[in-house]
Amino acid sequence: MNKIYKGVFIHESSYVDDEVVLGNGTKIWHFSHVLNNCKIGENCSLGQNVVIGPNVEVGNDVKIQNNVSIYEGVTLQDGVFCGPSCVFTNVINPRSEVVRKDEYRRTTVKKGASIGANATVVCGHDLGEYCFIAAGAVVTKEVKPYALMAGTPAKRIGWMSKLGGKLDNDLICPIDGSQYVQVDEDTIKEKND
């Protein structure tokens, strides 16, 4: 039976194990399960059929859509968006008959990153701040901040702003007019940084 968390909504069909910290304003929807020793920040939303943990940390203001599993070794920083049915792996070469729990590779999804529906993030590759992974993409290497990644394997096809606007060659956000500058071929940053 779920214990009472003040300021948290847990649907009656979901389970929260012992030793879990849930931040104020978080909502856990139908048929989800948060396993032992997880910490989920404030104002998060876990959609239907979400599994988290064990031993996973999720920041504040994270949205995890339906049918997503966040395995041990994955960390989601503040403001991350995980689209429906996106996938995180935890080992490179899984076999049903071979136990590889000591081979889990860490993956950090940094602040503000968005992962599209049905995308796959292969373990051991961090996703940079405010990057955008297109639906169905397969991430097989580290992703730079603000990178727009698409394809199988995913390649950078452009840049995205903090607000999720696709940047043209002038690197000006079409949403709020904020400006970015090219540091090198594979790196941009906000102009005021």
Side-chain angles (χ1 to χ4, degrees):
M1 182 171 168
N2 288 325
K3 63 183 180 179
I4 302 299
Y5 289 91
K6 187 176 181 180
V8 173
F9 170 80
I10 302 170
H11 190 269
E12 63 185 14
S13 66
S14 291
Y15 292 93
V16 176
D17 289 354
D18 295 331
E19 305 302 322
V20 170
V21 175
L22 299 175
N24 187 49
T26 288
K27 295 178 173 68
I28 301 173
W29 295 100
H30 306 67
F31 316 116
S32 293
H33 188 180
V34 181
L35 285 81
N36 286 325
N37 300 313
C38 289
K39 180 180 178 187
I40 299 176
E42 296 182 355
N43 301 313
C44 293
S45 177
L46 281 59
Q48 295 181 28
N49 197 35
V50 168
V51 177
I52 297 185
N55 308 312
V56 167
E57 187 167 342
V58 174
N60 299 319
D61 303 307
V62 172
K63 293 187 177 26
I64 302 171
Q65 299 293 305
N66 298 350
N67 306 311
V68 176
S69 294
I70 309 294
Y71 299 117
E72 184 171 356
V74 175
T75 299
L76 305 179
Q77 293 184 353
D78 294 348
V80 168
F81 176 86
C82 295
S85 301
C86 72
V87 174
F88 293 91
T89 69
N90 53 12
V91 296
I92 293 293
N93 54 345
R95 290 285 195 207
S96 181
E97 298 172 339
V98 180
V99 176
R100 292 205 159 100
K101 290 183 180 179
D102 60 339
E103 297 177 27
Y104 288 173
R105 295 188 184 187
R106 298 202 55 76
T107 300
T108 300
V109 182
K110 296 186 179 172
K111 182 178 181 177
S114 292
I115 303 168
N118 298 304
T120 299
V121 178
V122 176
C123 59
H125 305 290
D126 293 343
L127 278 58
E129 294 87 354
Y130 301 103
C131 71
F132 194 98
I133 310 302
V138 178
V139 175
T140 60
K141 62 184 179 181
E142 182 177 337
V143 175
K144 295 285 190 170
Y146 307 105
L148 170 58
M149 305 289 286
T152 304
K155 294 183 180 1
R156 188 179 63 74
I157 62 168
W159 301 106
M160 298 290 276
S161 72
K162 269 188 179 179
L163 294 183
K166 187 172 186 305
L167 300 175
D168 288 329
N169 290 337
D170 62 7
L171 298 178
I172 296 174
C173 175
I175 298 170
D176 70 354
S178 59
Q179 295 183 358
Y180 296 78
V181 292
Q182 191 101 24
V183 175
D184 59 41
E185 184 179 329
D186 294 319
T187 309
I188 68 168
K189 67 176 187 172
E190 283 189 274
K191 192 170 186 176
N192 296 333
D193 281 355

